[in-house]
PDB file of all heavy atoms in Angstrom:
ATOM      1  N   LEU A   1      74.558 131.167 -58.777  1.00  0.00           N
ATOM      2  CA  LEU A   1      75.328 131.726 -59.886  1.00  0.00           C
ATOM      3  C   LEU A   1      76.828 131.540 -59.656  1.00  0.00           C
ATOM      4  O   LEU A   1      77.584 131.284 -60.597  1.00  0.00           O
ATOM      5  CB  LEU A   1      74.998 133.211 -60.059  1.00  0.00           C
ATOM      6  CG  LEU A   1      73.618 133.520 -60.654  1.00  0.00           C
ATOM      7  CD1 LEU A   1      73.347 135.020 -60.625  1.00  0.00           C
ATOM      8  CD2 LEU A   1      73.507 132.997 -62.082  1.00  0.00           C
ATOM      9  N   THR A   2      77.275 131.649 -58.406  1.00  0.00           N
ATOM     10  CA  THR A   2      78.678 131.414 -58.081  1.00  0.00           C
ATOM     11  C   THR A   2      79.049 129.949 -58.324  1.00  0.00           C
ATOM     12  O   THR A   2      80.104 129.641 -58.888  1.00  0.00           O
ATOM     13  CB  THR A   2      78.960 131.782 -56.617  1.00  0.00           C
ATOM     14  OG1 THR A   2      78.636 133.163 -56.405  1.00  0.00           O
ATOM     15  CG2 THR A   2      80.434 131.558 -56.272  1.00  0.00           C
ATOM     16  N   PHE A   3      78.159 129.041 -57.903  1.00  0.00           N
ATOM     17  CA  PHE A   3      78.358 127.609 -58.137  1.00  0.00           C
ATOM     18  C   PHE A   3      78.456 127.321 -59.632  1.00  0.00           C
ATOM     19  O   PHE A   3      79.326 126.568 -60.089  1.00  0.00           O
ATOM     20  CB  PHE A   3      77.193 126.832 -57.517  1.00  0.00           C
ATOM     21  CG  PHE A   3      77.101 125.395 -57.951  1.00  0.00           C
ATOM     22  CD1 PHE A   3      78.090 124.490 -57.620  1.00  0.00           C
ATOM     23  CD2 PHE A   3      76.012 124.948 -58.689  1.00  0.00           C
ATOM     24  CE1 PHE A   3      78.008 123.161 -58.020  1.00  0.00           C
ATOM     25  CE2 PHE A   3      75.910 123.630 -59.084  1.00  0.00           C
ATOM     26  CZ  PHE A   3      76.918 122.733 -58.751  1.00  0.00           C
ATOM     27  N   SER A   4      77.583 127.933 -60.421  1.00  0.00           N
ATOM     28  CA  SER A   4      77.592 127.755 -61.867  1.00  0.00           C
ATOM     29  C   SER A   4      78.878 128.307 -62.477  1.00  0.00           C
ATOM     30  O   SER A   4      79.441 127.713 -63.412  1.00  0.00           O
ATOM     31  CB  SER A   4      76.373 128.449 -62.489  1.00  0.00           C
ATOM     32  OG  SER A   4      76.344 128.269 -63.879  1.00  0.00           O
ATOM     33  N   THR A   5      79.365 129.429 -61.963  1.00  0.00           N
ATOM     34  CA  THR A   5      80.600 130.036 -62.464  1.00  0.00           C
ATOM     35  C   THR A   5      81.789 129.109 -62.267  1.00  0.00           C
ATOM     36  O   THR A   5      82.594 128.897 -63.185  1.00  0.00           O
ATOM     37  CB  THR A   5      80.872 131.374 -61.737  1.00  0.00           C
ATOM     38  OG1 THR A   5      79.778 132.265 -61.970  1.00  0.00           O
ATOM     39  CG2 THR A   5      82.148 132.020 -62.248  1.00  0.00           C
ATOM     40  N   LEU A   6      81.915 128.544 -61.073  1.00  0.00           N
ATOM     41  CA  LEU A   6      83.039 127.648 -60.776  1.00  0.00           C
ATOM     42  C   LEU A   6      82.970 126.377 -61.620  1.00  0.00           C
ATOM     43  O   LEU A   6      83.988 125.895 -62.114  1.00  0.00           O
ATOM     44  CB  LEU A   6      83.039 127.295 -59.285  1.00  0.00           C
ATOM     45  CG  LEU A   6      83.292 128.470 -58.324  1.00  0.00           C
ATOM     46  CD1 LEU A   6      83.149 128.017 -56.877  1.00  0.00           C
ATOM     47  CD2 LEU A   6      84.684 129.063 -58.566  1.00  0.00           C
ATOM     48  N   SER A   7      81.761 125.844 -61.808  1.00  0.00           N
ATOM     49  CA  SER A   7      81.597 124.643 -62.642  1.00  0.00           C
ATOM     50  C   SER A   7      81.968 124.934 -64.092  1.00  0.00           C
ATOM     51  O   SER A   7      82.670 124.144 -64.742  1.00  0.00           O
ATOM     52  CB  SER A   7      80.143 124.152 -62.579  1.00  0.00           C
ATOM     53  OG  SER A   7      79.806 123.727 -61.289  1.00  0.00           O
ATOM     54  N   ALA A   8      81.512 126.082 -64.606  1.00  0.00           N
ATOM     55  CA  ALA A   8      81.815 126.449 -65.993  1.00  0.00           C
ATOM     56  C   ALA A   8      83.314 126.640 -66.191  1.00  0.00           C
ATOM     57  O   ALA A   8      83.872 126.245 -67.228  1.00  0.00           O
ATOM     58  CB  ALA A   8      81.065 127.727 -66.371  1.00  0.00           C
ATOM     59  N   LEU A   9      83.987 127.233 -65.205  1.00  0.00           N
ATOM     60  CA  LEU A   9      85.437 127.428 -65.298  1.00  0.00           C
ATOM     61  C   LEU A   9      86.157 126.085 -65.379  1.00  0.00           C
ATOM     62  O   LEU A   9      87.052 125.895 -66.215  1.00  0.00           O
ATOM     63  CB  LEU A   9      85.928 128.217 -64.085  1.00  0.00           C
ATOM     64  CG  LEU A   9      87.451 128.414 -63.975  1.00  0.00           C
ATOM     65  CD1 LEU A   9      87.984 129.189 -65.172  1.00  0.00           C
ATOM     66  CD2 LEU A   9      87.805 129.122 -62.666  1.00  0.00           C
ATOM     67  N   LEU A  10      85.763 125.140 -64.531  1.00  0.00           N
ATOM     68  CA  LEU A  10      86.387 123.811 -64.520  1.00  0.00           C
ATOM     69  C   LEU A  10      86.218 123.108 -65.862  1.00  0.00           C
ATOM     70  O   LEU A  10      87.186 122.608 -66.447  1.00  0.00           O
ATOM     71  CB  LEU A  10      85.770 122.969 -63.403  1.00  0.00           C
ATOM     72  CG  LEU A  10      86.210 121.500 -63.349  1.00  0.00           C
ATOM     73  CD1 LEU A  10      87.706 121.400 -63.068  1.00  0.00           C
ATOM     74  CD2 LEU A  10      85.422 120.743 -62.278  1.00  0.00           C
ATOM     75  N   PHE A  11      84.993 123.079 -66.377  1.00  0.00           N
ATOM     76  CA  PHE A  11      84.731 122.364 -67.623  1.00  0.00           C
ATOM     77  C   PHE A  11      85.307 123.094 -68.837  1.00  0.00           C
ATOM     78  O   PHE A  11      85.676 122.456 -69.825  1.00  0.00           O
ATOM     79  CB  PHE A  11      83.230 122.132 -67.798  1.00  0.00           C
ATOM     80  CG  PHE A  11      82.667 121.135 -66.825  1.00  0.00           C
ATOM     81  CD1 PHE A  11      81.712 121.506 -65.900  1.00  0.00           C
ATOM     82  CD2 PHE A  11      83.119 119.832 -66.819  1.00  0.00           C
ATOM     83  CE1 PHE A  11      81.203 120.600 -64.991  1.00  0.00           C
ATOM     84  CE2 PHE A  11      82.627 118.908 -65.915  1.00  0.00           C
ATOM     85  CZ  PHE A  11      81.670 119.289 -65.001  1.00  0.00           C
ATOM     86  N   ALA A  12      85.394 124.409 -68.775  1.00  0.00           N
ATOM     87  CA  ALA A  12      85.990 125.168 -69.876  1.00  0.00           C
ATOM     88  C   ALA A  12      87.479 124.845 -69.993  1.00  0.00           C
ATOM     89  O   ALA A  12      87.992 124.577 -71.091  1.00  0.00           O
ATOM     90  CB  ALA A  12      85.792 126.667 -69.656  1.00  0.00           C
ATOM     91  N   LEU A  13      88.181 124.869 -68.860  1.00  0.00           N
ATOM     92  CA  LEU A  13      89.613 124.561 -68.865  1.00  0.00           C
ATOM     93  C   LEU A  13      89.864 123.129 -69.327  1.00  0.00           C
ATOM     94  O   LEU A  13      90.759 122.871 -70.141  1.00  0.00           O
ATOM     95  CB  LEU A  13      90.203 124.775 -67.465  1.00  0.00           C
ATOM     96  CG  LEU A  13      90.245 126.226 -66.965  1.00  0.00           C
ATOM     97  CD1 LEU A  13      90.735 126.271 -65.520  1.00  0.00           C
ATOM     98  CD2 LEU A  13      91.139 127.078 -67.849  1.00  0.00           C
ATOM     99  N   MET A  14      89.063 122.195 -68.831  1.00  0.00           N
ATOM    100  CA  MET A  14      89.231 120.795 -69.197  1.00  0.00           C
ATOM    101  C   MET A  14      88.915 120.566 -70.674  1.00  0.00           C
ATOM    102  O   MET A  14      89.673 119.899 -71.399  1.00  0.00           O
ATOM    103  CB  MET A  14      88.335 119.916 -68.326  1.00  0.00           C
ATOM    104  CG  MET A  14      88.487 118.424 -68.588  1.00  0.00           C
ATOM    105  SD  MET A  14      87.638 117.390 -67.362  1.00  0.00           S
ATOM    106  CE  MET A  14      85.924 117.845 -67.677  1.00  0.00           C
ATOM    107  N   GLY A  15      87.803 121.126 -71.149  1.00  0.00           N
ATOM    108  CA  GLY A  15      87.389 120.900 -72.531  1.00  0.00           C
ATOM    109  C   GLY A  15      88.310 121.543 -73.545  1.00  0.00           C
ATOM    110  O   GLY A  15      88.717 120.904 -74.521  1.00  0.00           O
ATOM    111  N   ILE A  16      88.670 122.808 -73.329  1.00  0.00           N
ATOM    112  CA  ILE A  16      89.546 123.502 -74.280  1.00  0.00           C
ATOM    113  C   ILE A  16      90.938 122.887 -74.280  1.00  0.00           C
ATOM    114  O   ILE A  16      91.539 122.671 -75.338  1.00  0.00           O
ATOM    115  CB  ILE A  16      89.612 125.010 -73.949  1.00  0.00           C
ATOM    116  CG1 ILE A  16      88.240 125.656 -74.202  1.00  0.00           C
ATOM    117  CG2 ILE A  16      90.678 125.710 -74.788  1.00  0.00           C
ATOM    118  CD1 ILE A  16      88.160 127.107 -73.783  1.00  0.00           C
ATOM    119  N   GLY A  17      91.449 122.565 -73.079  1.00  0.00           N
ATOM    120  CA  GLY A  17      92.783 121.957 -72.986  1.00  0.00           C
ATOM    121  C   GLY A  17      92.855 120.621 -73.706  1.00  0.00           C
ATOM    122  O   GLY A  17      93.746 120.382 -74.531  1.00  0.00           O
ATOM    123  N   LEU A  18      91.898 119.723 -73.420  1.00  0.00           N
ATOM    124  CA  LEU A  18      91.891 118.408 -74.065  1.00  0.00           C
ATOM    125  C   LEU A  18      91.560 118.510 -75.549  1.00  0.00           C
ATOM    126  O   LEU A  18      92.104 117.758 -76.369  1.00  0.00           O
ATOM    127  CB  LEU A  18      90.871 117.498 -73.376  1.00  0.00           C
ATOM    128  CG  LEU A  18      91.346 116.771 -72.114  1.00  0.00           C
ATOM    129  CD1 LEU A  18      90.209 115.985 -71.496  1.00  0.00           C
ATOM    130  CD2 LEU A  18      92.505 115.830 -72.434  1.00  0.00           C
ATOM    131  N   GLY A  19      90.668 119.439 -75.898  1.00  0.00           N
ATOM    132  CA  GLY A  19      90.284 119.600 -77.302  1.00  0.00           C
ATOM    133  C   GLY A  19      91.463 119.999 -78.167  1.00  0.00           C
ATOM    134  O   GLY A  19      91.667 119.452 -79.267  1.00  0.00           O
ATOM    135  N   VAL A  20      92.270 120.949 -77.675  1.00  0.00           N
ATOM    136  CA  VAL A  20      93.461 121.386 -78.425  1.00  0.00           C
ATOM    137  C   VAL A  20      94.503 120.274 -78.463  1.00  0.00           C
ATOM    138  O   VAL A  20      95.107 119.995 -79.504  1.00  0.00           O
ATOM    139  CB  VAL A  20      94.051 122.664 -77.784  1.00  0.00           C
ATOM    140  CG1 VAL A  20      95.394 123.008 -78.424  1.00  0.00           C
ATOM    141  CG2 VAL A  20      93.076 123.830 -77.934  1.00  0.00           C
ATOM    142  N   TRP A  21      94.722 119.613 -77.315  1.00  0.00           N
ATOM    143  CA  TRP A  21      95.750 118.568 -77.231  1.00  0.00           C
ATOM    144  C   TRP A  21      95.417 117.373 -78.128  1.00  0.00           C
ATOM    145  O   TRP A  21      96.294 116.832 -78.808  1.00  0.00           O
ATOM    146  CB  TRP A  21      95.871 118.107 -75.774  1.00  0.00           C
ATOM    147  CG  TRP A  21      96.880 117.016 -75.572  1.00  0.00           C
ATOM    148  CD1 TRP A  21      98.157 116.970 -76.038  1.00  0.00           C
ATOM    149  CD2 TRP A  21      96.675 115.795 -74.854  1.00  0.00           C
ATOM    150  NE1 TRP A  21      98.770 115.803 -75.644  1.00  0.00           N
ATOM    151  CE2 TRP A  21      97.884 115.071 -74.914  1.00  0.00           C
ATOM    152  CE3 TRP A  21      95.609 115.270 -74.138  1.00  0.00           C
ATOM    153  CZ2 TRP A  21      98.050 113.831 -74.296  1.00  0.00           C
ATOM    154  CZ3 TRP A  21      95.773 114.038 -73.518  1.00  0.00           C
ATOM    155  CH2 TRP A  21      96.969 113.327 -73.603  1.00  0.00           C
ATOM    156  N   MET A  22      94.124 116.973 -78.146  1.00  0.00           N
ATOM    157  CA  MET A  22      93.716 115.798 -78.911  1.00  0.00           C
ATOM    158  C   MET A  22      93.313 116.145 -80.337  1.00  0.00           C
ATOM    159  O   MET A  22      93.118 115.252 -81.160  1.00  0.00           O
ATOM    160  CB  MET A  22      92.544 115.104 -78.213  1.00  0.00           C
ATOM    161  CG  MET A  22      92.882 114.539 -76.842  1.00  0.00           C
ATOM    162  SD  MET A  22      91.411 113.902 -75.995  1.00  0.00           S
ATOM    163  CE  MET A  22      90.883 112.653 -77.161  1.00  0.00           C
ATOM    164  N   GLY A  23      93.166 117.426 -80.650  1.00  0.00           N
ATOM    165  CA  GLY A  23      92.743 117.821 -81.989  1.00  0.00           C
ATOM    166  C   GLY A  23      91.305 117.462 -82.282  1.00  0.00           C
ATOM    167  O   GLY A  23      90.943 117.165 -83.423  1.00  0.00           O
ATOM    168  N   SER A  24      90.454 117.503 -81.219  1.00  0.00           N
ATOM    169  CA  SER A  24      89.049 117.133 -81.373  1.00  0.00           C
ATOM    170  C   SER A  24      88.172 118.371 -81.411  1.00  0.00           C
ATOM    171  O   SER A  24      88.124 119.155 -80.458  1.00  0.00           O
ATOM    172  CB  SER A  24      88.607 116.233 -80.200  1.00  0.00           C
ATOM    173  OG  SER A  24      87.206 116.087 -80.192  1.00  0.00           O
ATOM    174  N   LEU A  25      87.445 118.535 -82.508  1.00  0.00           N
ATOM    175  CA  LEU A  25      86.544 119.683 -82.639  1.00  0.00           C
ATOM    176  C   LEU A  25      85.380 119.614 -81.666  1.00  0.00           C
ATOM    177  O   LEU A  25      84.969 120.623 -81.104  1.00  0.00           O
ATOM    178  CB  LEU A  25      85.994 119.753 -84.072  1.00  0.00           C
ATOM    179  CG  LEU A  25      86.859 120.434 -85.133  1.00  0.00           C
ATOM    180  CD1 LEU A  25      86.153 120.370 -86.472  1.00  0.00           C
ATOM    181  CD2 LEU A  25      87.153 121.870 -84.753  1.00  0.00           C
ATOM    182  N   VAL A  26      84.848 118.414 -81.458  1.00  0.00           N
ATOM    183  CA  VAL A  26      83.663 118.301 -80.614  1.00  0.00           C
ATOM    184  C   VAL A  26      84.002 118.558 -79.145  1.00  0.00           C
ATOM    185  O   VAL A  26      83.223 119.161 -78.409  1.00  0.00           O
ATOM    186  CB  VAL A  26      82.965 116.934 -80.804  1.00  0.00           C
ATOM    187  CG1 VAL A  26      83.730 115.807 -80.168  1.00  0.00           C
ATOM    188  CG2 VAL A  26      81.530 116.983 -80.284  1.00  0.00           C
ATOM    189  N   ILE A  27      85.170 118.127 -78.688  1.00  0.00           N
ATOM    190  CA  ILE A  27      85.598 118.419 -77.316  1.00  0.00           C
ATOM    191  C   ILE A  27      85.908 119.907 -77.183  1.00  0.00           C
ATOM    192  O   ILE A  27      85.568 120.544 -76.184  1.00  0.00           O
ATOM    193  CB  ILE A  27      86.822 117.562 -76.918  1.00  0.00           C
ATOM    194  CG1 ILE A  27      86.431 116.090 -76.813  1.00  0.00           C
ATOM    195  CG2 ILE A  27      87.398 118.037 -75.585  1.00  0.00           C
ATOM    196  CD1 ILE A  27      87.575 115.174 -76.425  1.00  0.00           C
ATOM    197  N   LEU A  28      86.526 120.470 -78.214  1.00  0.00           N
ATOM    198  CA  LEU A  28      86.815 121.904 -78.208  1.00  0.00           C
ATOM    199  C   LEU A  28      85.514 122.705 -78.203  1.00  0.00           C
ATOM    200  O   LEU A  28      85.400 123.729 -77.518  1.00  0.00           O
ATOM    201  CB  LEU A  28      87.654 122.264 -79.435  1.00  0.00           C
ATOM    202  CG  LEU A  28      88.248 123.679 -79.481  1.00  0.00           C
ATOM    203  CD1 LEU A  28      89.148 123.919 -78.272  1.00  0.00           C
ATOM    204  CD2 LEU A  28      89.035 123.876 -80.761  1.00  0.00           C
ATOM    205  N   PHE A  29      84.513 122.245 -78.966  1.00  0.00           N
ATOM    206  CA  PHE A  29      83.202 122.885 -78.978  1.00  0.00           C
ATOM    207  C   PHE A  29      82.577 122.852 -77.588  1.00  0.00           C
ATOM    208  O   PHE A  29      82.021 123.845 -77.107  1.00  0.00           O
ATOM    209  CB  PHE A  29      82.299 122.153 -79.984  1.00  0.00           C
ATOM    210  CG  PHE A  29      80.863 122.620 -79.988  1.00  0.00           C
ATOM    211  CD1 PHE A  29      80.534 123.875 -80.470  1.00  0.00           C
ATOM    212  CD2 PHE A  29      79.851 121.804 -79.518  1.00  0.00           C
ATOM    213  CE1 PHE A  29      79.213 124.305 -80.485  1.00  0.00           C
ATOM    214  CE2 PHE A  29      78.535 122.224 -79.527  1.00  0.00           C
ATOM    215  CZ  PHE A  29      78.210 123.480 -80.022  1.00  0.00           C
ATOM    216  N   ASP A  30      82.693 121.705 -76.921  1.00  0.00           N
ATOM    217  CA  ASP A  30      82.152 121.563 -75.573  1.00  0.00           C
ATOM    218  C   ASP A  30      82.852 122.512 -74.612  1.00  0.00           C
ATOM    219  O   ASP A  30      82.216 123.180 -73.788  1.00  0.00           O
ATOM    220  CB  ASP A  30      82.316 120.114 -75.106  1.00  0.00           C
ATOM    221  CG  ASP A  30      81.565 119.827 -73.823  1.00  0.00           C
ATOM    222  OD1 ASP A  30      82.070 120.224 -72.758  1.00  0.00           O
ATOM    223  OD2 ASP A  30      80.487 119.211 -73.872  1.00  0.00           O
ATOM    224  N   GLY A  31      84.189 122.580 -74.703  1.00  0.00           N
ATOM    225  CA  GLY A  31      84.944 123.473 -73.832  1.00  0.00           C
ATOM    226  C   GLY A  31      84.654 124.935 -74.116  1.00  0.00           C
ATOM    227  O   GLY A  31      84.554 125.755 -73.201  1.00  0.00           O
ATOM    228  N   ALA A  32      84.519 125.266 -75.414  1.00  0.00           N
ATOM    229  CA  ALA A  32      84.205 126.653 -75.793  1.00  0.00           C
ATOM    230  C   ALA A  32      82.833 127.055 -75.277  1.00  0.00           C
ATOM    231  O   ALA A  32      82.633 128.187 -74.825  1.00  0.00           O
ATOM    232  CB  ALA A  32      84.263 126.807 -77.308  1.00  0.00           C
ATOM    233  N   TYR A  33      81.876 126.121 -75.338  1.00  0.00           N
ATOM    234  CA  TYR A  33      80.540 126.406 -74.807  1.00  0.00           C
ATOM    235  C   TYR A  33      80.616 126.688 -73.307  1.00  0.00           C
ATOM    236  O   TYR A  33      79.973 127.608 -72.800  1.00  0.00           O
ATOM    237  CB  TYR A  33      79.599 125.240 -75.072  1.00  0.00           C
ATOM    238  CG  TYR A  33      78.199 125.498 -74.568  1.00  0.00           C
ATOM    239  CD1 TYR A  33      77.276 126.173 -75.359  1.00  0.00           C
ATOM    240  CD2 TYR A  33      77.813 125.097 -73.290  1.00  0.00           C
ATOM    241  CE1 TYR A  33      76.004 126.446 -74.889  1.00  0.00           C
ATOM    242  CE2 TYR A  33      76.541 125.368 -72.814  1.00  0.00           C
ATOM    243  CZ  TYR A  33      75.636 126.030 -73.619  1.00  0.00           C
ATOM    244  OH  TYR A  33      74.390 126.304 -73.146  1.00  0.00           O
ATOM    245  N   SER A  34      81.428 125.880 -72.584  1.00  0.00           N
ATOM    246  CA  SER A  34      81.591 126.097 -71.145  1.00  0.00           C
ATOM    247  C   SER A  34      82.248 127.447 -70.869  1.00  0.00           C
ATOM    248  O   SER A  34      81.910 128.128 -69.895  1.00  0.00           O
ATOM    249  CB  SER A  34      82.424 124.970 -70.526  1.00  0.00           C
ATOM    250  OG  SER A  34      81.754 123.730 -70.617  1.00  0.00           O
ATOM    251  N   PHE A  35      83.203 127.851 -71.742  1.00  0.00           N
ATOM    252  CA  PHE A  35      83.867 129.144 -71.560  1.00  0.00           C
ATOM    253  C   PHE A  35      82.881 130.292 -71.779  1.00  0.00           C
ATOM    254  O   PHE A  35      82.855 131.263 -71.016  1.00  0.00           O
ATOM    255  CB  PHE A  35      85.043 129.271 -72.526  1.00  0.00           C
ATOM    256  CG  PHE A  35      85.784 130.576 -72.398  1.00  0.00           C
ATOM    257  CD1 PHE A  35      86.565 130.835 -71.288  1.00  0.00           C
ATOM    258  CD2 PHE A  35      85.689 131.543 -73.383  1.00  0.00           C
ATOM    259  CE1 PHE A  35      87.251 132.044 -71.151  1.00  0.00           C
ATOM    260  CE2 PHE A  35      86.359 132.751 -73.270  1.00  0.00           C
ATOM    261  CZ  PHE A  35      87.141 132.993 -72.148  1.00  0.00           C
ATOM    262  N   VAL A  36      82.057 130.161 -72.822  1.00  0.00           N
ATOM    263  CA  VAL A  36      81.023 131.172 -73.064  1.00  0.00           C
ATOM    264  C   VAL A  36      80.041 131.201 -71.891  1.00  0.00           C
ATOM    265  O   VAL A  36      79.627 132.271 -71.434  1.00  0.00           O
ATOM    266  CB  VAL A  36      80.277 130.880 -74.387  1.00  0.00           C
ATOM    267  CG1 VAL A  36      79.069 131.805 -74.534  1.00  0.00           C
ATOM    268  CG2 VAL A  36      81.216 131.086 -75.572  1.00  0.00           C
ATOM    269  N   SER A  37      79.693 130.013 -71.371  1.00  0.00           N
ATOM    270  CA  SER A  37      78.805 129.933 -70.213  1.00  0.00           C
ATOM    271  C   SER A  37      79.417 130.643 -69.013  1.00  0.00           C
ATOM    272  O   SER A  37      78.713 131.304 -68.236  1.00  0.00           O
ATOM    273  CB  SER A  37      78.521 128.466 -69.851  1.00  0.00           C
ATOM    274  OG  SER A  37      77.802 127.823 -70.869  1.00  0.00           O
ATOM    275  N   LEU A  38      80.736 130.496 -68.858  1.00  0.00           N
ATOM    276  CA  LEU A  38      81.436 131.158 -67.755  1.00  0.00           C
ATOM    277  C   LEU A  38      81.287 132.674 -67.856  1.00  0.00           C
ATOM    278  O   LEU A  38      80.938 133.350 -66.877  1.00  0.00           O
ATOM    279  CB  LEU A  38      82.913 130.764 -67.770  1.00  0.00           C
ATOM    280  CG  LEU A  38      83.846 131.528 -66.828  1.00  0.00           C
ATOM    281  CD1 LEU A  38      83.456 131.293 -65.370  1.00  0.00           C
ATOM    282  CD2 LEU A  38      85.302 131.123 -67.073  1.00  0.00           C
ATOM    283  N   LEU A  39      81.545 133.215 -69.043  1.00  0.00           N
ATOM    284  CA  LEU A  39      81.439 134.661 -69.237  1.00  0.00           C
ATOM    285  C   LEU A  39      80.010 135.145 -69.010  1.00  0.00           C
ATOM    286  O   LEU A  39      79.779 136.193 -68.386  1.00  0.00           O
ATOM    287  CB  LEU A  39      81.902 135.029 -70.651  1.00  0.00           C
ATOM    288  CG  LEU A  39      83.367 134.740 -70.986  1.00  0.00           C
ATOM    289  CD1 LEU A  39      83.659 135.130 -72.433  1.00  0.00           C
ATOM    290  CD2 LEU A  39      84.303 135.485 -70.048  1.00  0.00           C
ATOM    291  N   LEU A  40      79.049 134.366 -69.500  1.00  0.00           N
ATOM    292  CA  LEU A  40      77.654 134.761 -69.371  1.00  0.00           C
ATOM    293  C   LEU A  40      77.166 134.649 -67.927  1.00  0.00           C
ATOM    294  O   LEU A  40      76.344 135.445 -67.476  1.00  0.00           O
ATOM    295  CB  LEU A  40      76.777 133.901 -70.287  1.00  0.00           C
ATOM    296  CG  LEU A  40      77.049 134.076 -71.784  1.00  0.00           C
ATOM    297  CD1 LEU A  40      76.198 133.110 -72.596  1.00  0.00           C
ATOM    298  CD2 LEU A  40      76.787 135.508 -72.227  1.00  0.00           C
ATOM    299  N   THR A  41      77.688 133.652 -67.201  1.00  0.00           N
ATOM    300  CA  THR A  41      77.324 133.524 -65.791  1.00  0.00           C
ATOM    301  C   THR A  41      77.883 134.687 -64.988  1.00  0.00           C
ATOM    302  O   THR A  41      77.222 135.211 -64.074  1.00  0.00           O
ATOM    303  CB  THR A  41      77.838 132.192 -65.215  1.00  0.00           C
ATOM    304  OG1 THR A  41      77.297 131.104 -65.973  1.00  0.00           O
ATOM    305  CG2 THR A  41      77.424 132.025 -63.763  1.00  0.00           C
ATOM    306  N   MET A  42      79.097 135.116 -65.330  1.00  0.00           N
ATOM    307  CA  MET A  42      79.667 136.286 -64.667  1.00  0.00           C
ATOM    308  C   MET A  42      78.824 137.529 -64.957  1.00  0.00           C
ATOM    309  O   MET A  42      78.633 138.389 -64.087  1.00  0.00           O
ATOM    310  CB  MET A  42      81.118 136.485 -65.128  1.00  0.00           C
ATOM    311  CG  MET A  42      82.060 135.395 -64.640  1.00  0.00           C
ATOM    312  SD  MET A  42      83.721 135.518 -65.321  1.00  0.00           S
ATOM    313  CE  MET A  42      84.283 137.033 -64.549  1.00  0.00           C
ATOM    314  N   LEU A  43      78.301 137.597 -66.188  1.00  0.00           N
ATOM    315  CA  LEU A  43      77.401 138.693 -66.535  1.00  0.00           C
ATOM    316  C   LEU A  43      76.128 138.630 -65.689  1.00  0.00           C
ATOM    317  O   LEU A  43      75.639 139.649 -65.198  1.00  0.00           O
ATOM    318  CB  LEU A  43      77.047 138.616 -68.028  1.00  0.00           C
ATOM    319  CG  LEU A  43      76.050 139.661 -68.561  1.00  0.00           C
ATOM    320  CD1 LEU A  43      76.627 141.069 -68.436  1.00  0.00           C
ATOM    321  CD2 LEU A  43      75.707 139.361 -70.022  1.00  0.00           C
ATOM    322  N   SER A  44      75.601 137.416 -65.502  1.00  0.00           N
ATOM    323  CA  SER A  44      74.404 137.239 -64.677  1.00  0.00           C
ATOM    324  C   SER A  44      74.673 137.618 -63.223  1.00  0.00           C
ATOM    325  O   SER A  44      73.824 138.213 -62.555  1.00  0.00           O
ATOM    326  CB  SER A  44      73.930 135.785 -64.746  1.00  0.00           C
ATOM    327  OG  SER A  44      73.481 135.464 -66.046  1.00  0.00           O
ATOM    328  N   LEU A  45      75.869 137.266 -62.741  1.00  0.00           N
ATOM    329  CA  LEU A  45      76.240 137.632 -61.371  1.00  0.00           C
ATOM    330  C   LEU A  45      76.254 139.147 -61.207  1.00  0.00           C
ATOM    331  O   LEU A  45      75.747 139.688 -60.223  1.00  0.00           O
ATOM    332  CB  LEU A  45      77.618 137.054 -61.031  1.00  0.00           C
ATOM    333  CG  LEU A  45      77.662 135.716 -60.290  1.00  0.00           C
ATOM    334  CD1 LEU A  45      79.097 135.215 -60.190  1.00  0.00           C
ATOM    335  CD2 LEU A  45      77.049 135.846 -58.903  1.00  0.00           C
ATOM    336  N   GLY A  46      76.858 139.828 -62.180  1.00  0.00           N
ATOM    337  CA  GLY A  46      76.896 141.287 -62.138  1.00  0.00           C
ATOM    338  C   GLY A  46      75.503 141.879 -62.196  1.00  0.00           C
ATOM    339  O   GLY A  46      75.197 142.845 -61.484  1.00  0.00           O
ATOM    340  N   ALA A  47      74.643 141.285 -63.041  1.00  0.00           N
ATOM    341  CA  ALA A  47      73.263 141.776 -63.159  1.00  0.00           C
ATOM    342  C   ALA A  47      72.503 141.576 -61.858  1.00  0.00           C
ATOM    343  O   ALA A  47      71.757 142.453 -61.412  1.00  0.00           O
ATOM    344  CB  ALA A  47      72.551 141.057 -64.306  1.00  0.00           C
ATOM    345  N   ALA A  48      72.703 140.395 -61.234  1.00  0.00           N
ATOM    346  CA  ALA A  48      72.018 140.113 -59.971  1.00  0.00           C
ATOM    347  C   ALA A  48      72.452 141.095 -58.887  1.00  0.00           C
ATOM    348  O   ALA A  48      71.630 141.576 -58.095  1.00  0.00           O
ATOM    349  CB  ALA A  48      72.301 138.678 -59.532  1.00  0.00           C
TER     350      ALA A  48
END
């Protein structure tokens, strides 16, 4: 779960940053999904 959290953080920052800079909805969608995954993984960590 910790490994998943760090991966989600990396891809969320990369996807949201590039999505906003390039004006791409699909990249922003990918980054937003990673950000949601990050929050949910943190929830899973707390649950575990």
